[in-house]
C-alpha cells in the first residue's frame, strides 16, 4: 500500500485525500491563493464524495482509526455539516446512492475559524449519540445503524440546505491511525460580556459601563413599578387575587372539592402554563473553545475538561461551564449601584 506520509508524525500511517472537482455531485469548488479548496454550497446543500471503495482501491479503512477534516466557514454565521456513510456503492446509471446512508454524523462549526475535526471510527458501532467535543467544534450527533469499516462503500461530505449559497474553505483531509493535533489559533471571539466579537447588531453592548447602566435601569424599573403583570387582579407572583387560599409565604398546593390548586406565596391560586426553571443567563461549555472566550471565562472554569484521545462519550465536569449572564449580574459595579439606591 502506498500511503501518503506527508506531515505524518513518527510511526503514523496516513493517507491524504486530494480535493477533486470530479467528485462533486452538488455544489462547486475553486482554489484559493493559499492552496485551500473553496466550496460553494448551493441552497439545497453541498454533496461531495470523500471516499469511494470502487475508486480508492489502495485504501483499506481498517488500517486507520480516524478520518480528519480541516475546514473553515467563510460566512459570518456557523454552518452545519454532515458526514454520510454508505455500505452500497453507486448503482450503474445513478449519480447518487440508491438508498439512505447507514450512518449520518452531523456537526456544526463556528465561522471564520480553521478547525481540525477528527472522526473516531469507533463511533460507527452506533453506541454513542453525542461524541466528546474536540477543540473548536460544536455539538456532534450520530444517527443510523452500526456499520463496519470493511462494509463502507462511500463516505460523503454534505451540508445542510439553506436560504442562500454558503462557502467554506478546506485544507487537509486524511485518514490516520493517530489522533491529530487539534490545537486552535488563539483568537478572542467572545468579549467579557459574552457577546460575539466578529459582528455588530442593534442592541449590542459597547462595554462594561453600558451593561451596568442597563442593568441598573432594569433594577430600578422592577423596584418602582410594582406592576409585574398586565392584569390588575394578578399579584407579583402571577397569582389570581379572585381565588385565595392559605398564605404561607411559599408556593404550595391545596385541595378544594377534590381538586388540587397551585397556590403562590401570597395565597392566590394560579395556573402553571409555559416555561419553568427560569434562571438568569445561560451556561456555556468553555473547554472546547477556551482559546476563544477570553481570560474572564477561562479563569472562571478552574478545572476545564480537556479532550482525551480514546474518549468518545460525552462526559464533562460542571466546572467546565461558565455563565456570562450571572457573572454580569454579579459585577461589583452593579451591586454598588443597588446599595447606593
Amino acid at each position: 500500500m502506498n500511503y501518503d506520509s506527508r506531515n505524518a508524525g513518527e510511526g503514523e500511517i496516513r493517507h491524504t485525500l486530494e480535493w477533486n472537482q470530479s467528485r462533486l455531485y452538488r455544489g462547486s469548488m475553486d482554489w484559493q491563493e493559499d492552496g485551500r479548496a473553496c466550496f460553494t454550497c448551493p441552497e439545497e446543500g453541498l454533496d461531495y464524495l470523500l471516499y469511494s471503495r470502487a475508486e480508492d482501491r489502495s485504501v483499506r479503512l481498517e488500517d486507520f482509526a480516524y478520518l480528519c477534516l480541516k475546514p473553515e466557514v467563510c460566512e459570518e454565521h456557523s454552518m452545519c455539516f454532515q458526514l454520510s456513510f454508505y455500505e452500497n456503492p453507486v448503482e450503474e446509471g445513478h449519480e447518487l446512492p440508491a438508498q439512505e446512508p447507514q450512518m449520518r454524523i452531523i456537526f456544526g462549526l463556528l465561522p471564520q475559524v480553521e478547525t481540525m475535526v477528527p472522526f473516531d471510527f469507533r463511533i460507527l458501532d452506533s453506541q454513542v449519540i453525542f461524541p466528546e467535543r474536540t477543540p473548536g467544534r460544536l455539538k456532534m450527533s450520530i444517527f443510523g445503524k452500526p456499520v463496519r469499516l470493511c462494509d463502507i462503500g462511500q463516505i460523503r461530505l454534505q451540508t445542510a440546505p439553506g436560504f442562500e449559497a454558503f462557502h467554506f474553505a478546506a485544507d487537509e483531509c486524511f485518514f490516520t491511525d493517530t489522533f491529530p493535533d487539534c490545537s486552535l489559533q488563539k483568537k478572542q471571539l467572545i468579549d467579557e460580556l459574552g457577546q460575539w466579537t466578529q459582528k455588530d447588531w442593534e442592541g449590542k453592548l459597547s462595554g462594561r459601563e453600558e451593561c451596568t447602566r442597563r442593568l441598573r435601569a432594569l433594577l430600578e424599573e422592577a423596584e418602582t413599578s410594582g406592576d409585574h403583570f398586565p392584569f390588575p387582579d394578578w399579584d407579583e407572583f402571577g397569582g389570581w387575587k379572585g381565588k385565595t387560599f392559605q398564605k404561607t409565604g411559599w408556593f404550595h398546593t391545596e385541595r378544594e372539592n377534590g381538586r388540587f390548586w397551585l397556590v403562590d406565596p401570597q395565597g392566590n391560586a394560579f395556573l402553571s402554563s409555559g416555561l419553568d426553571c427560569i434562571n438568569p443567563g445561560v451556561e456555556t461549555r468553555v473547554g472546547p473553545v477556551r482559546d476563544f472566550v477570553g481570560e474572564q471565562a477561562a479563569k472562571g472554569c478552574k478545572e476545564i475538561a480537556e479532550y482525551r484521545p480514546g474518549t468518545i462519550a460525552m462526559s464533562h465536569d460542571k466546572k467546565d461551564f461558565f455563565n456570562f449572564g450571572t457573572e454580569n449580574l454579579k459585577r461589583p459595579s452593579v451591586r454598588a449601584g443597588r446599595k447606593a439606591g
Side-chain angles (χ1 to χ4, degrees), residues 263-280:
V263 185
D264 72 15
Q266 292 294 332
N268 297 317
F270 73 97
L271 297 176
S272 179
S273 175
L275 300 174
D276 61 3
C277 302
I278 303 299
N279 293 296

Side-chain angles (χ1 to χ4, degrees), residues 76-77 189 195-201 204:
E76 290 187 329
H77 53 77
L189 302 179
Q195 302 174 119
W196 186 251
T197 63
Q198 306 300 296
K199 188 176 182 180
D200 291 323
W201 60 87
K204 184 177 183 181

